[in-house]
Amino acid sequence: MCRIVTYNIHSGIGRDKKQDYKRIGQFLASSGADVVLLQEMDTRPPERDTAQDVRDICAENTFKLIPSPAIREADGWYGNAILTRFDVLSNDTVDVSQSGRQPRNVQIVELKTEKTPLTVVNTHKGLKKLERRSQFSLLHEHLSQRLKEKQTPLVLAGDFNEWQFFSKAFKGLNSLLFQQKVGATFPSHFPIFSLDRVWVTDDIKVKACRKLKNAKTRVYSDHLPVLIDIELPESPD
């Protein structure tokens, strides 16, 4: 069994206005996650130390952090990141930024699990509808090509920022991968919008897929985390 969590952590700032990566890292460690897909990881504030931010979100040495910055500044970076207990086989970033909008990317990491290599795809899409449509198209194109070239189990998750209730935006991705039912994840104290989503390839058996709503997650970010328990196929080698 492999446990994955996807979580937009809102720069570590909770609904109580407290910035605290340590409490988020400890929560993620206690969740039993093997892999965590983070969006809005932010180490830029000059009053904090980037290395300490990383130690805190990693719950000291519980996880390794693989960064995927969309923005780099003098004091740190902002963007996606993956926490993992597994060894990393490869780490790629695909730029899907649109002109005049905040930079965005897709992080693609291949991990060495006990059974077989697993590819996890972490992304945070834009706020404008046309921006997202272009980003969804680029993501679909890249994943289509990748799956043709390399047939490893793959999990796609993140904050897709799709606010519409009856959106057709995921038609391409749904033709390529299997979307899991998650439900509303935003805002965390009273979820209305299904912004955080999960897809898997057909060789993955999903044992559980649910949002984590409790006293801590209602406060730690404006999004709820989503947990996915999966069973991977045996390696063909």
Side-chain angles (χ1 to χ4, degrees):
M1 188 79 70
C2 176
R3 174 163 289 181
I4 300 172
V5 171
T6 179
Y7 199 5
N8 182 324
I9 57 172
H10 195 232
S11 299
I13 302 170
R15 290 182 52 250
D16 57 0
K17 309 300 182 186
K18 184 178 180 182
Q19 200 289 331
D20 192 343
Y21 282 140
K22 190 171 186 178
R23 66 181 180 181
I24 295 174
Q26 290 174 342
F27 164 74
L28 292 169
S30 67
S31 75
D34 299 298
V35 184
V36 183
L37 281 59
L38 298 174
Q39 304 89 44
E40 293 194 30
M41 178 72 187
D42 193 352
T43 71
R44 295 173 296 174
E47 68 273 13
R48 299 203 316 267
D49 177 62
T50 295
Q52 186 61 52
D53 280 350
V54 171
R55 283 193 293 272
D56 287 345
I57 200 71
C58 288
E60 295 302 330
N61 292 317
T62 302
F63 302 106
K64 299 181 285 285
L65 182 139
I66 303 99
S68 182
I71 300 171
R72 293 181 186 271
E73 294 180 3
D75 293 299
W77 54 271
Y78 170 90
N80 299 319
I82 287 175
L83 306 177
T84 180
R85 300 177 194 257
F86 298 126
D87 290 335
V88 177
L89 298 174
S90 67
N91 176 28
D92 299 314
T93 295
V94 179
D95 187 0
V96 294
S97 303
Q98 301 296 300
S99 179
R101 304 298 303 164
Q102 180 177 304
R104 305 278 181 174
N105 66 36
V106 179
Q107 182 181 19
I108 304 173
V109 174
E110 189 175 13
L111 301 168
K112 184 180 180 182
T113 75
E114 293 175 1
K115 280 190 171 183
T116 187
L118 168 67
T119 299
V120 289
V121 182
N122 179 25
T123 192
H124 184 196
K125 294 296 181 267
L127 296 175
K128 295 291 186 180
K129 182 176 178 179
L130 290 179
E131 175 190 13
R132 290 195 301 275
R133 295 301 179 270
S134 296
Q135 291 168 342
F136 292 152
S137 178
L138 289 169
L139 175 61
H140 177 265
E141 181 182 339
H142 184 85
L143 291 182
S144 295
Q145 188 61 37
R146 186 180 183 92
L147 289 170
K148 284 179 185 176
E149 295 171 358
K150 197 167 191 179
Q151 286 288 338
T152 59
L154 181 146
V155 175
L156 163 65
D159 175 6
F160 287 80
N161 259 326
E162 187 64 24
W163 300 80
Q164 294 177 300
F165 287 106
F166 302 103
S167 173
K168 297 181 180 178
F170 303 118
K171 186 176 179 181
L173 289 175
N174 288 339
S175 70
L176 190 66
L177 302 167
F178 293 86
Q179 186 172 181
Q180 304 303 301
K181 187 175 180 180
V182 174
T185 56
F186 181 91
S188 57
H189 63 292
F190 189 78
I192 299 171
F193 301 105
S194 300
L195 303 190
D196 305 276
R197 295 173 181 260
V198 177
W199 284 261
V200 300
T201 46
D202 62 2
D203 51 359
I204 290 175
K205 185 179 291 184
V206 178
K207 295 292 192 177
C209 185
R210 65 183 186 276
K211 55 190 175 183
L212 299 177
K213 187 176 181 181
N214 55 46
K216 292 180 178 179
T217 60
R218 287 187 185 96
V219 174
Y220 286 1
S221 174
D222 57 349
H223 287 247
L224 292 175
V226 176
L227 177 148
I228 315 106
D229 281 335
I230 61 173
E231 191 173 298
L232 294 167
E234 295 290 347
S235 174
D237 297 334

